[in-house]
Amino acid sequence: MKYEVEHVNTFYYDTAVDQSMNTIRLKPRTDECQRLLSYKNEITPVTMPKEHVDLWGNHVESFFIPQKHTKLEVKTTSIVSIQRSPFIRQIEYSPEMRYIFHSELFHDHYKSFLNETSYTFLYQYQIDQVIQAVGDIENPVEFSLQLMSYLHEVMNYDGESTNVSTTANEAFDLKKGVCQDYSHIMLGVLRARKIPARYVSGYLYVGENSELIGDAASHAWVEFMAPGIGWIGLDATNNVEALENHICLSAGRDYSDVSPLQGVYRGGNQTLDVKVQVKKLEHE
């Protein structure tokens, strides 16, 4: 699949702002399944961003606007090609996979994706409640699939019940939230089971007449490390494997590592307008 993504963030300020410094993560990743074909950013007021790749392999652009302004617009246009095939349900948990999964080397290598964070922290009673419902499954692949189905069943998608600061334990007790909340809860449980897992932010192409649920501005899901195989994406919001309609922007330990736009400025209050359009392109 080939997509064009247009993402526009517009900040409106109550009073003139100066000394504005911002960081954006809006350039899609390239990996074994996704290829970034083109990327362009347009920032108003005009500035020259500096780009680097962070610890997690994400593209990060930083820019400074010294002059006074009452509006800041960041528009990015990306074209990506994605080729992923469903295969997780065909994976057999072999003795070799079991050996890798229980090895010290495996857990040391992915330690960053095994540690809990303030976003993914769950209380022990919450973890026990999930294990009791899902089952004490040794196979990490099967457990991850069952966990995804469980969260999809018990959680209600509700864009009004939580906000960007809501933690996994808070959303778990509410039993409702958005894709960010589903993902943080799933990360907390997987890591408690010693399954390395990371938070993925991006876009979801829903197309016409689709039953998939995703925020109009962005989407989030989880990737877990299948021993000996690699990262596999699971979208608990929709109870599906992340495939060709999941466009990856960034990956990290939780939302704080992949926030699309962060910044500081000197001035009054602000309002933010976000518009995202994902368009499927015909293969040439």
Side-chain angles (χ1 to χ4, degrees):
M1 293 294 182
K2 192 174 175 183
Y3 302 101
E4 180 183 71
V5 181
E6 186 177 281
H7 189 153
V8 183
N9 291 280
T10 308
F11 291 89
Y12 299 95
Y13 302 103
D14 291 347
T15 58
V17 162
D18 63 3
Q19 305 291 323
S20 172
M21 184 170 286
N22 302 274
T23 300
I24 59 174
R25 293 177 180 82
L26 294 169
K27 184 175 181 179
R29 294 164 67 107
T30 289
D31 57 28
E32 61 273 12
C33 298
Q34 175 175 294
R35 189 157 58 102
L36 178 62
L37 302 178
S38 69
Y39 172 79
K40 175 177 69 172
N41 65 45
E42 300 169 75
I43 301 170
T44 308
V46 176
T47 184
M48 185 67 71
K50 293 183 178 179
E51 182 179 339
H52 72 276
V53 176
D54 68 13
L55 183 63
W56 318 113
N58 305 312
H59 297 283
V60 182
E61 297 173 281
S62 302
F63 59 90
F64 175 66
I65 302 176
Q67 69 265 39
K68 288 190 176 182
H69 53 285
T70 56
K71 184 176 84 168
L72 169 63
E73 182 177 279
V74 179
K75 177 182 177 182
T76 60
T77 306
S78 310
I79 297 179
V80 297
S81 175
I82 302 175
Q83 187 171 4
R84 293 193 191 98
S85 299
F87 70 95
I88 184 174
R89 297 183 189 277
Q90 279 102 48
I91 295 176
E92 292 186 15
Y93 190 47
S94 66
E96 291 78 14
M97 288 179 67
R98 185 179 293 107
Y99 174 79
I100 294 170
F101 180 67
H102 290 288
S103 70
E104 188 176 345
L105 180 63
F106 179 75
H107 289 90
D108 285 348
H109 186 75
Y110 294 106
K111 187 170 289 185
S112 296
F113 300 110
L114 285 167
N115 294 332
E116 66 184 29
T117 69
S118 57
Y119 264 122
T120 66
F121 172 77
L122 291 169
Y123 293 104
Q124 189 60 49
Y125 81 86
Q126 296 172 321
I127 295 168
D128 292 343
Q129 184 177 324
V130 175
I131 302 301
Q132 185 175 5
V134 172
D136 191 13
I137 303 168
E138 183 198 357
N139 179 346
V141 176
E142 181 62 26
F143 179 83
S144 300
L145 281 168
Q146 294 298 325
L147 172 61
M148 174 178 69
S149 297
Y150 168 78
L151 292 178
H152 179 74
E153 182 180 338
V154 301
M155 295 284 290
N156 291 311
Y157 190 89
D158 182 355
E160 303 298 320
S161 60
T162 58
N163 57 54
V164 72
S165 301
T166 303
T167 61
N169 61 80
E170 292 169 338
F172 183 89
D173 284 343
L174 289 172
K175 291 294 187 292
K176 52 187 175 181
V178 294
C179 51
Q180 175 180 311
D181 304 302
Y182 285 69
S183 299
H184 281 148
I185 294 171
M186 190 166 182
L187 288 174
V189 178
L190 289 173
R191 291 172 184 174
R193 296 285 292 184
K194 306 301 182 187
I195 301 172
R198 64 186 185 182
Y199 185 103
V200 182
S201 74
Y203 309 104
L204 179 66
Y205 177 73
V206 296
E208 296 180 3
N209 303 319
S210 174
E211 295 181 357
L212 295 175
I213 298 172
D215 190 285
S218 62
H219 194 54
W221 59 96
V222 166
E223 287 182 345
F224 76 96
M225 174 52 65
I229 293 175
W231 293 107
I232 297 176
L234 296 178
D235 180 353
T237 308
N238 293 292
N239 195 26
V240 295
E241 185 177 350
L243 294 173
E244 290 186 333
N245 51 348
H246 288 74
I247 304 163
C248 175
L249 264 183
S250 305
R253 294 164 299 179
D254 57 27
Y255 173 78
S256 64
D257 283 337
V258 302
S259 177
L261 200 153
Q262 298 170 310
V264 293
Y265 65 91
R266 189 167 63 186
N269 293 329
Q270 66 175 26
T271 56
L272 171 62
D273 179 54
V274 181
K275 294 177 181 175
V276 175
Q277 182 179 36
V278 182
K279 183 167 61 176
K280 186 164 72 170
L281 303 177
E282 296 299 324
H283 284 284
E284 297 180 356

